[in-house]
């Protein structure tokens, strides 16, 4: 949403159209949320990310599997684009914490330095406050970016035209979990083709003689 | 559409009122474009902002920079009781033990004075009945800590002791059980310090408690951090209870614990912890330094 050349009349019409579309969308989404009220990840739970660290679980019995520690951390209003931040967040998803830190250290983007600071802070918090034993025994379970509050400025064009420039900000969220990262099964093309052929072979005609 | 209305107004006005000069109404008054509000704002200094606020009639309330002082309890334990070495243990009479015994005799005289002062203010105090009461306060306080019942805890524990009991425990689960008392608790020490002004008396009484307890601390995720729920341990403690004697609504509350210098070291927590070591220069190696982990001095401290 960078600067766009706009005429005065057109902008008013655009604003009115946007408002109507937004109200229509809100109406439809509210009905949808009423229907599927359980487990909706609205805005990917970004508003209450800090509160997730305050959840206390009841003590475990001796025969239960040891529950892995989960640490939630975020940084708000980073002066960076959320789309550019997404690339870095996607890069480190599923990596161990040491691997993620190495990758971010040698990445040339501006957001890499910020994400590295956030992850180091989260690691320190984990060891101090959340009873994590080994600081390297963590992996990145969730990592994503969200839109922050934008500031608006005028971008001057020729012939008295102007555009509204957005000064973009983003939030960055990360969830560290104790333990070894789960192995993601890489499906080869050959496996997918085999599955497809099996599906084709399993077709039958129902209600036949 | 908007422009046509404005133009008609312009034409109507001269016809309606002939004596008054025609007023020129600007035609295009509707705001048609959006200017971000931050564009026209001039950077104001603090004094300019203040003058503008005062002119507008905005009143900022006077900010009181205050620090709350609590007068219902003292800030520490005055003239702490020095427990004799080898208490409840098979001991060899050491030189430190004899020194402590002589100090104890000196302290007991002051304790008797303190008891008399306490009895002046509080009629129901007696050295025979107080220990049972105090032990009940101790058990109730720790039970409230387990349930984290803030109001009850504040009534059983002084404001000095409360943060020490509660710090770091908010997101942890505590399981504590008082199984039995091995020896009847007895009062060993008392002092009556007066704070700030002369008549403002506080009474501090030290109680020796030998009991069997179990403690288990679980962290936020329900994993065991310290202790064992099924293993009872023998515990020898010196509890300090305090009461604001001059206050008629004062109550005997737990004020702190005295940990003697000869107390055995506590159990380590279940996880491994890094102890920060010396910073190495590039040419040094850690093994060559022969670094000794510093051990804490055996000093009496009170919690």
């Amino acid at each position: 949403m960078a600067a766009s050349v706009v005429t005065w009349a057109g902008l008013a019409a655009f604003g009115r159209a946007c408002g109507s579309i937004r109200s229509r969308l809100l109406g439809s989404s509210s009905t949808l949320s009423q229907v599927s009220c359980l487990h909706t990840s609205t805005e990917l739970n970004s508003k209450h990310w800090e509160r997730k660290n305050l959840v206390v679980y009841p003590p475990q019995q001796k025969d239960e599997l040891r529950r892995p520690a989960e640490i939630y951390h975020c940084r708000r209003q980073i002066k960076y684009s959320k789309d550019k931040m997404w690339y870095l967040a996607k890069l480190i998803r599923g990596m161990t914490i040491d691997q993620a830190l190495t990758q971010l250290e040698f990445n040339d983007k501006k957001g890499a330095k910020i994400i590295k600071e956030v992850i180091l802070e989260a690691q320190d918090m984990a060891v101090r406050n959340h009873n994590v034993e080994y600081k390297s025994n963590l992996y990145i379970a969730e990592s994503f970016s969200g839109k922050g509050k934008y500031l608006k400025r005028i971008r001057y064009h020729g012939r008295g035209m102007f555009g509204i420039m957005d000064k973009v900000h983003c939030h960055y969220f990360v969830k560290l979990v104790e333990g070894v990262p789960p192995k993601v099964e890489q499906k080869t093309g050959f496996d997918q083709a085999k599955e497809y052929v099996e599906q084709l072979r399993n077709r039958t005609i129902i209600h036949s003689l | 559409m908007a422009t046509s209305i404005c133009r008609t107004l312009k034409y109507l006005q001269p016809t309606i009122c002939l004596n008054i000069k025609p007023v020129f109404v600007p035609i295009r008054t509707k705001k048609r474009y959006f200017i971000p509000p931050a564009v026209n704002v001039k950077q104001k200094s603090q004094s300019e902002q203040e003058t503008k606020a005062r002119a507008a009639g905005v009143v900022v309330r006077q900010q009181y920079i205050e620090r709350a002082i609590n007068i219902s309890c003292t800030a520490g334990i005055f003239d702490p009781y020095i427990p004799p070495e080898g208490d409840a243990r098979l001991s060899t009479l050491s030189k430190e033990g004899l020194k402590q015994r002589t100090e104890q005799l000196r302290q007991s005289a002051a304790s008797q004075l303190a008891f008399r002062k306490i009895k002046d203010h509080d009629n129901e105090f007696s050295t025979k009945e107080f220990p049972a009461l105090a032990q009940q306060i101790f058990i109730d306080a720790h039970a409230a800590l387990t349930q984290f019942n803030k109001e009850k805890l504040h009534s059983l524990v002084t404001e000095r002791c409360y943060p020490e009991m509660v710090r770091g425990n908010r997101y942890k689960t505590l399981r504590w059980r008082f199984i039995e008392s091995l020896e009847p608790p007895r009062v060993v020490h008392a002092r009556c310090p007066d704070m700030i002004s002369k008549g403002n008396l506080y009474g501090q009484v030290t109680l020796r408690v030998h009991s069997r307890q179990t403690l288990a601390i679980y962290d936020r995720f329900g994993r065991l951090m310290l202790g064992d729920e099924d293993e009872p341990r023998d515990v020898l403690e010196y509890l300090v209870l305090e009461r604001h004697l001059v206050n008629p609504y004062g109550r005997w509350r737990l004020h702190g614990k005295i940990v003697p210098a000869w107390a055995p070291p506590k159990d380590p927590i279940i996880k491994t912890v890094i102890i920060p070591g010396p910073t190495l220069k590039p040419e040094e190696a850690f093994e060559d330094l022969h670094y000794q982990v510093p051990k804490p001095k055996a000093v009496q401290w009170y919690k």
Side-chain angles (χ1 to χ4, degrees):
Chain A
M1 296 305 277
S4 50
V5 180
V6 164
T7 53
W8 293 338
L11 189 59
F14 181 65
R16 259 181 274 128
C18 264
S20 59
I21 289 169
R22 217 179 294 137
S23 55
R24 240 182 286 144
L25 274 173
L26 272 174
S28 58
S29 66
S30 63
T31 50
L32 271 172
S33 58
Q34 274 164 23
V35 169
S36 57
C37 48
L38 303 166
H39 195 66
T40 42
S41 55
T42 45
E43 290 178 280
L44 286 164
N45 311 316
S46 335
K47 276 192 192 158
H48 311 299
W49 200 254
E50 291 93 341
R51 289 209 314 227
K52 293 186 167 210
N53 271 334
L54 310 177
V55 170
V56 181
Y57 292 93
Q60 286 183 300
Q61 311 302 325
K62 289 205 178 109
D63 50 346
E64 272 179 41
L65 269 172
R66 191 177 156 91
R67 191 179 277 128
E70 294 177 346
I71 298 98
Y72 295 85
H73 195 44
C74 66
R75 192 181 279 203
R76 307 275 181 180
Q77 295 296 117
I78 306 166
K79 181 73 193 71
Y80 201 49
S81 159
K82 69 174 177 7
D83 302 312
K84 295 178 193 167
M85 195 63 115
W86 182 86
Y87 287 106
L88 293 160
K90 177 79 180 147
L91 171 72
I92 58 171
R93 240 172 246 181
M95 287 186 178
T96 50
I97 197 167
D98 290 331
Q99 196 187 1
L101 287 168
T102 346
Q103 290 296 329
L104 292 168
E105 196 177 316
F106 295 104
N107 193 308
D108 296 325
K109 290 181 185 262
K110 170 175 152 184
K113 196 166 159 200
I114 297 163
I115 294 187
K116 186 161 167 248
E117 281 171 17
V118 172
I119 292 184
L120 284 171
E121 264 177 30
Q123 193 185 44
D124 195 42
M125 258 168 52
V127 171
R128 269 180 220 265
N129 306 344
H130 297 100
N131 194 33
V132 162
E133 202 166 342
Y134 303 108
K135 66 177 190 175
S136 297
N137 194 24
L138 296 161
Y139 71 92
I140 318 262
E142 282 172 30
S143 132
F144 55 93
S145 66
K147 171 183 173 294
K149 286 247 168 76
Y150 290 172
L151 294 174
K152 297 192 204 280
R153 298 283 180 267
I154 292 188
R155 192 190 185 278
Y156 299 96
H157 290 276
R159 290 171 164 244
M161 304 287 213
F162 66 94
I164 308 170
M165 180 161 48
D166 285 323
K167 296 285 185 187
V168 292
H169 289 80
C170 66
H171 306 309
Y172 176 68
F173 306 92
V174 73
K175 170 176 158 183
L176 300 171
V177 175
E178 205 178 6
V180 178
K183 239 182 171 173
V184 182
E185 220 185 85
Q186 298 288 346
K187 243 190 179 168
T188 55
F190 182 75
D191 283 329
Q192 285 179 329
K194 217 164 75 165
E195 270 189 31
Y196 177 62
V197 168
E198 262 193 62
Q199 270 179 21
L200 290 174
R201 289 196 178 141
N202 288 342
R203 294 179 297 182
T204 51
I205 301 169
I206 53 167
H207 300 316
S208 62
L209 294 164
Chain B
M1 210 173 88
T3 52
S4 58
I5 290 174
C6 282
R7 245 188 224 120
T8 50
L9 277 170
K10 208 177 99 179
Y11 284 128
L12 272 170
Q13 263 192 332
T15 53
I16 290 167
C17 28
L18 288 161
N19 299 328
I20 303 166
K21 252 201 277 185
V23 180
F24 292 100
V25 180
I27 300 171
R28 294 203 60 182
T29 47
K30 185 176 194 298
K31 193 169 134 195
R32 285 161 196 281
Y33 49 85
F34 165 72
I35 300 176
V39 171
N40 295 326
V41 167
K42 276 173 284 183
Q43 298 303 322
K44 273 181 275 189
S45 68
Q46 197 65 31
S47 50
E48 280 178 44
Q49 274 179 334
E50 274 176 38
T51 42
K52 276 219 163 181
R54 216 177 295 139
V58 173
V59 176
V60 178
R61 197 190 275 191
Q62 187 188 32
Q63 282 165 343
Y64 300 101
I65 307 168
E66 289 172 344
R67 197 179 159 172
I69 308 170
N70 207 307
I71 51 169
S72 52
C73 73
T74 47
I77 300 174
F78 293 90
D79 215 356
Y81 173 63
I82 300 169
E85 198 183 310
D87 203 2
R89 247 164 267 271
L90 295 165
S91 68
T92 52
L93 274 171
S94 54
K95 220 193 273 181
E96 287 105 53
L98 280 168
K99 253 195 263 174
Q100 275 168 10
R101 257 336 107 87
T102 45
E103 277 210 53
Q104 210 183 14
L105 287 167
R106 232 186 295 141
Q107 279 174 358
S108 62
S111 295
Q112 294 305 320
L113 273 169
F115 282 131
R116 217 176 299 147
K117 262 199 221 173
I118 294 172
K119 276 180 198 161
D120 286 339
H121 289 270
D122 179 15
N123 294 328
E124 291 153 5
F125 182 83
S126 92
T127 345
K128 302 262 164 47
E129 289 162 32
F130 184 68
L133 229 144
Q135 196 174 60
Q136 195 51 44
I137 292 174
F138 170 73
I139 296 171
D140 290 339
H142 283 71
L145 178 65
T146 328
Q147 308 302 323
F148 202 65
N149 189 350
K150 266 197 271 187
E151 294 92 16
K152 202 163 161 216
L153 202 53
H154 270 293
S155 68
L156 291 164
V157 146
T158 59
E159 284 79 21
R160 179 213 173 253
C161 184
Y162 179 81
E164 285 176 3
M165 279 182 103
V166 165
R167 189 171 294 145
N169 294 339
R170 184 134 167 250
Y171 301 113
K172 299 195 177 101
T173 325
L174 298 167
R175 291 247 172 105
W176 179 85
R177 232 171 60 225
F178 185 90
I179 298 173
E180 58 170 357
S181 170
L182 295 166
E183 288 172 20
R186 57 188 174 85
V187 177
V188 289
H189 189 78
R191 283 290 180 273
C192 264
D194 43 357
M195 304 293 293
I196 303 163
S197 62
K198 198 172 173 297
N200 192 18
L201 277 175
Y202 293 83
Q204 288 179 350
V205 176
T206 314
L207 198 81
R208 176 188 179 279
V209 175
H210 192 36
S211 56
R212 192 169 277 155
Q213 298 165 19
T214 48
L215 176 66
I217 303 179
Y218 297 91
D219 68 351
R220 231 188 89 208
F221 305 99
R223 315 182 298 194
L224 189 63
M225 265 178 94
L226 191 64
D228 192 354
E229 235 178 303
D230 302 321
E231 190 200 324
R233 296 236 181 144
D234 296 342
V235 168
L236 177 63
E237 284 170 326
Y238 297 91
L239 307 168
V240 178
L241 291 109
E242 195 194 55
R243 179 179 160 155
H244 190 186
L245 295 168
V246 182
N247 180 9
Y249 304 108
R251 268 183 288 189
W252 286 104
R253 297 186 292 176
L254 194 59
H255 191 58
K257 261 194 225 183
I258 292 178
V259 181
W262 43 264
K266 287 202 229 185
D267 266 0
I269 48 174
I270 292 176
K271 72 171 190 173
T272 50
V273 177
I274 304 174
I275 302 173
T279 42
L280 298 167
K281 286 196 210 101
E283 58 270 6
E284 287 173 357
F286 181 66
E287 290 84 21
D288 302 330
L289 278 176
H290 299 290
Y291 182 71
Q292 300 286 332
V293 175
K295 284 209 170 75
K297 274 191 296 177
V299 173
Q300 169 170 310
W301 57 288
Y302 47 81
K303 199 173 199 295

